[in-house]
Amino acid sequence: MAGRSVQARRLQVQLSAETGAPVEVQWDSSSRSGGWRWHVIWGDGPTRDGMVALVDRLLPPASALDRDKLVYLRTIRRISVALAIVRNMRLGQPPLGEHHRGWALEDHLLEVPYPERGTDDDLQLAVELCRLSNFGDAQSIADLAAQHGIAGLRARLVPPDNVLPFRRSGPR
């Protein structure tokens, strides 16, 4: 197991560096794997197919890890859901786009490479949307976006011109 652990750690570091996403490679048992196996786990970043191709390229042929038995588990973070909602609204679509429920948007994002990437402005709006929704589920984020709209989210970020920022006088 020690040789596999070293290979797993090396692969984890290489995958994280190549993708820019935090990746874990861990020995685990899950309902998906049907027993103890090596799991490649990451959030956002490349799609499953992209990660499989990257593992195939990075894992040496004589590796102690059996590439055919690796389990791949990708999650979509709330910020990526919020960013997709902001993009949809910018395009004049409903917050969920063509999807009827929040979980359907999340399922769609599993097939989108790097859903966490966006313009600075869109990312700022997505962060605000997550903050307002207290990082709720995709449906509650979409409902909140529909309630506020892009202009409402932006108004919460940029104070009106006639309001001075609050400052304390003297030491705390």
Side-chain angles (χ1 to χ4, degrees), residues 56-169:
D56 284 345
R57 182 171 61 83
L58 294 174
L59 202 59
S63 171
L65 299 175
D66 184 350
R67 72 182 75 236
D68 296 329
K69 292 186 179 179
L70 291 174
V71 176
Y72 294 87
L73 302 172
R74 180 185 187 212
T75 60
I76 300 298
R77 296 180 302 145
R78 296 289 156 237
I79 191 68
S80 296
V81 170
L83 187 56
I85 288 170
V86 167
R87 282 187 198 122
N88 287 339
M89 291 170 48
R90 278 204 194 277
L91 294 171
Q93 299 175 3
L96 293 173
E98 62 188 32
H99 308 286
H100 297 289
R101 302 296 306 161
W103 60 263
L105 175 62
E106 287 184 85
D107 281 352
H108 166 75
L109 291 175
L110 284 171
E111 300 305 318
V112 174
Y114 296 93
E116 73 278 14
R117 293 182 179 170
T119 66
D120 289 343
D121 189 43
D122 284 357
L123 285 168
Q124 189 177 25
L125 292 170
V127 167
E128 178 65 6
L129 190 52
C130 284
R131 186 188 68 75
L132 289 172
S133 69
N134 198 25
F135 288 88
D137 66 6
Q139 189 64 51
S140 66
I141 294 171
D143 292 344
L144 193 65
Q147 177 186 345
H148 287 280
I150 293 284
L153 290 173
R154 183 168 283 110
R156 294 188 60 89
L157 292 172
V158 181
D161 293 335
N162 63 345
V163 176
L164 297 174
F166 176 74
R167 290 200 176 117
R168 291 186 183 267
S169 60

